[in-house]
């Protein structure tokens, strides 16, 4: 049987104060505008995609084969674009470290802003 008591020794990430994030970036004054932005645009796009867009295309009736092919291709293009972004953006953001590892050089140290 598993000894669940060893789970008590695991340190939770959110309780770790040494994450490299300055204290001012964890304040409500700093995070408040980001929270408002995320809520406003996240809820706006959600309502648009779930309610407004389907209601707008109801008037088109049953899709013809060509209309179905058009929307299916749009869906695939969004999927490919999202997959590319999900793979490429982290590589781009970490390229200094990746290139340093591949060339066996030290990672350049960036000064704190």
């Amino acid at each position: 049987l598993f000894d669940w008591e060893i789970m008590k020794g695991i340190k939770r990430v959110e309780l770790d104060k040494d994450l490299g994030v300055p204290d001012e970036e964890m304040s409500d004054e700093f995070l408040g505008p980001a929270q408002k932005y995320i809520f406003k645009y996240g809820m706006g796009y959600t309502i648009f995609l779930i309610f407004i867009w389907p209601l707008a295309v109801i008037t088109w009736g049953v899709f013809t084969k060509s209309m179905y092919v058009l929307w299916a291709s749009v869906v695939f293009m969004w999927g490919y674009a999202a997959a590319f972004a999900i793979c490429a953006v982290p590589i781009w953001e970490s390229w200094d470290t990746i290139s340093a590892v591949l060339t066996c050089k030290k990672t350049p140290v960036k000064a704190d802003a």
Side-chain angles (χ1 to χ4, degrees):
L1 293 174
F2 184 75
D3 183 17
W4 291 100
E5 291 300 315
I6 63 172
M7 298 293 283
K8 292 181 180 178
I10 296 175
K11 190 173 185 180
R12 292 179 23 198
V13 174
E14 65 269 14
L15 297 178
D16 189 4
K17 297 296 180 192
D18 189 29
L19 294 176
V21 179
D23 289 335
E24 62 268 5
E25 289 186 14
M26 297 303 292
S27 68
D28 288 336
E29 293 83 23
F30 185 83
L31 295 174
Q35 180 184 12
K36 289 177 185 174
Y37 174 87
I38 291 168
F39 186 78
K40 180 171 89 172
Y41 287 102
M43 289 302 292
Y45 285 131
T46 300
I47 290 169
F48 176 77
L49 290 173
I50 292 177
F51 298 110
I52 297 171
W53 183 255
L55 289 173
V57 298
I58 284 177
T59 59
W60 295 354
V62 177
F63 282 180
T64 62
K65 185 175 181 180
S66 61
M67 184 66 81
Y68 179 80
V69 169
L70 171 74
W71 285 110
S73 62
V74 167
V75 167
F76 276 101
M77 292 307 295
W78 269 109
Y80 288 133
F84 176 76
I86 288 169
C87 295
V89 170
I91 292 171
W92 182 5
E93 290 177 344
S94 303
W95 185 249
D96 291 340
T97 304
I98 293 170
S99 62
V101 168
L102 293 176
T103 58
C104 298
K105 295 180 181 176
K106 287 191 175 186
T107 306
V109 178
K110 295 183 180 181
D112 292 334

